Amino acid sequence: MLSSQKINLAKIAAKAITPLSFRTFASSAVARNVSINLHQGSFESYNCEAPSLEVNISKEELVRMYKSMVVMRRMEMASDGLYKAKLIRGFCHLCTGQEAVAVGMETALTAEDKIITAYRCHGFTYMRGGSITSILAELLGRKAGISGGKGGSMHMFTPNFFGGNGIVGAQVPLGAGISFAQKYLGHKAATFSLYGDGASNQGQVFEAYNMAKLWELPSVFVCENNRYGMGTAANRSSANTSYFKRGDYIPGLKVNGMDVLAVHQAVAYAKEWTISGKGPLLLEMETYRYGGHSMSDPGTTYRTREEIQHMRSNNDPITGLKQRLLEFNVITEDEMKAIDKAARVEVDQAVEEAKASPEPDVDQLFTQIYQKGTEVQFLRGREPEETHYY
């Protein structure tokens, strides 16, 4: 506990965003490389070749993958506790069980690549450089939050991470626009636009597909298929649940989204596909959330507890990587326990730092709404008598 320590909030705010290179693993490092063969069912392709099942990766990167997933899960567990303690209010969507998608994606990208996603964004914010303290403080609505405590669970950003977006499916055409800018400016980089199976039937998703293909943009559309759109099973809402084939004229790839190495391999393949001038690509990450759609959803009224336990026992992304690390003698059991303990300490400390941060000043509530110089004359508050004049 940090209650007896004086916490320097200025330092906490300064640490809100970690340099992206800290968690961006794509590099030329070849020391202590290992070769791992993925399961045969890791990929299914549509109008394109599947990536290689052989993954060459350094032991150091494998350990960092493991640590990142452990920290991410511990952070989401802390968020769960803070919400239940009524310290986090409003919407809160956790990614427990889906850690392999955010971590595996980041391992294959660089700081020049862009990511935009929906509202289940805490893990992506962390992997794109956000500190644990800044994420938890944002959830608590505190000044040290990554959006100053004014965005909450769904609105978190870093320099190369465009959120965190609350409107279902609306981030997909925004992502296409970002990739248009990359092509226009001649940047050799890609934009990954993520959405869920619940958003897959939005008309704007297909409009974005069309424009991206017309202009051969470096766009990778990523459907995180966790089987349920809120409380509705995918096969009850979608006539075609082969989401990787729904781009029609855009090739697609279905990926085992519970295997961090399969995600890594698929994203590396997708980036190379797009920046080589082949146009957009569609990825479907088959994954699973252990909790409900949000904290207000118990997650057990539309699926059985046995189903959830089966996924935890047989497909957990952290357990799967742990077994590989031990199998290839990358790390010992004692070293794993040390990583787990360090993650718990790091997150516990971040919780106390976030709780110690004050709420935003009242005079900040009407800031960062309009680009400077484009403000309207006035903006009404919660009631007609509460009006802010710019």
Side-chain angles (χ1 to χ4, degrees), residues 316-383:
D316 185 73
I318 296 176
T319 302
L321 182 59
K322 179 179 180 178
Q323 291 170 346
R324 280 186 170 127
L325 292 177
L326 294 173
E327 178 186 350
F328 286 87
N329 296 315
V330 173
I331 197 171
T332 66
E333 284 274 12
D334 288 341
E335 289 171 325
M336 269 185 187
K337 290 178 181 178
I339 289 174
D340 296 346
K341 182 178 179 180
R344 184 168 60 252
V345 170
E346 184 180 9
V347 172
D348 287 348
Q349 178 175 331
V351 168
E352 297 305 320
E353 290 178 347
K355 287 163 66 176
S357 175
E359 294 181 351
D361 297 330
V362 174
D363 63 5
Q364 291 296 305
L365 296 181
F366 287 93
T367 62
Q368 298 175 315
I369 298 174
Y370 292 96
Q371 175 70 19
K372 190 173 181 179
T374 69
E375 301 91 346
V376 295
Q377 185 178 357
F378 65 89
L379 194 64
R380 200 177 79 174
R382 295 167 297 175
E383 52 192 41

Side-chain angles (χ1 to χ4, degrees), residues 48-322:
C48 65
E49 296 291 329
S52 170
L53 293 173
E54 183 179 352
V55 181
N56 291 296
I57 192 167
S58 74
K59 293 184 177 181
E60 289 78 10
E61 288 176 328
L62 288 170
V63 172
R64 283 192 287 177
M65 283 181 177
Y66 178 78
K67 179 181 177 182
S68 295
M69 287 199 291
V70 168
V71 168
M72 193 181 298
R73 181 164 297 179
R74 179 65 59 176
M75 180 178 72
E76 294 291 66
M77 289 170 62
S79 302
D80 180 281
L82 291 168
Y83 191 96
K84 290 174 178 174
K86 298 185 178 180
L87 293 173
I88 296 174
R89 301 294 185 126
F91 295 106
C92 185
H93 305 83
L94 305 182
C95 66
T96 310
Q98 299 185 205
E99 297 88 354
V101 177
V103 174
M105 182 171 289
E106 195 62 52
T107 62
L109 303 181
T110 69
E112 297 305 311
D113 298 303
K114 318 295 184 186
I115 294 177
I116 186 169
T117 190
Y119 36 75
R120 203 177 305 280
C121 67
H122 309 162
F124 290 101
T125 306
Y126 173 66
M127 292 309 298
R128 291 259 95 183
S131 71
I132 303 169
T133 298
S134 71
I135 294 168
L136 294 175
E138 190 58 42
L139 292 172
L140 292 168
R142 305 301 176 88
K143 189 182 291 188
I146 200 161
S147 296
K150 299 185 293 182
S153 174
M154 299 189 288
H155 303 102
M156 300 183 183
F157 311 88
T158 71
N160 284 316
F161 176 59
F162 292 78
N165 293 269
I167 306 301
V168 175
Q171 71 279 4
V172 181
L174 293 178
I178 296 168
S179 64
F180 175 82
Q182 288 173 316
K183 182 168 184 175
Y184 183 82
L185 296 170
H187 295 168
K188 280 289 185 180
T191 294
F192 289 74
S193 304
L194 292 99
Y195 57 97
D197 52 287
S200 65
N201 297 314
Q202 288 277 321
Q204 57 194 329
V205 173
F206 294 93
E207 292 173 17
Y209 289 172
N210 183 58
M211 288 187 288
K213 184 58 182 175
L214 275 174
W215 297 330
E216 299 290 14
L217 300 180
S219 286
V220 182
F221 299 102
V222 185
C223 178
E224 281 188 282
N225 177 13
N226 61 20
R227 303 190 183 187
Y228 298 93
M230 297 187 71
T232 304
N235 61 3
R236 293 185 60 221
S237 64
S238 298
N240 177 7
T241 56
S242 294
Y243 298 104
F244 70 109
K245 296 180 180 179
R246 292 176 67 171
D248 187 16
Y249 37 76
I250 298 177
L253 188 68
K254 182 161 69 173
V255 184
N256 178 5
M258 301 299 277
D259 183 347
V260 68
L261 295 181
V263 175
H264 165 88
Q265 196 79 334
V267 171
Y269 174 91
K271 177 181 175 176
E272 177 58 31
W273 175 282
T274 55
I275 66 173
S276 64
K278 295 180 180 178
L281 192 70
L282 180 54
L283 299 181
E284 176 188 345
M285 299 290 180
E286 284 196 309
T287 184
Y288 196 83
R289 54 171 165 81
Y290 296 156
H293 170 73
S294 69
M295 285 299 298
S296 61
D297 168 26
T300 54
T301 57
Y302 48 87
R303 57 183 182 174
T304 64
R305 296 183 186 276
E306 289 74 23
E307 176 186 308
I308 300 169
Q309 187 55 46
H310 174 79
M311 293 298 294
R312 279 184 176 272
S313 301
N314 296 282
N315 296 281
D316 185 73
I318 296 176
T319 302
L321 182 59
K322 179 179 180 178

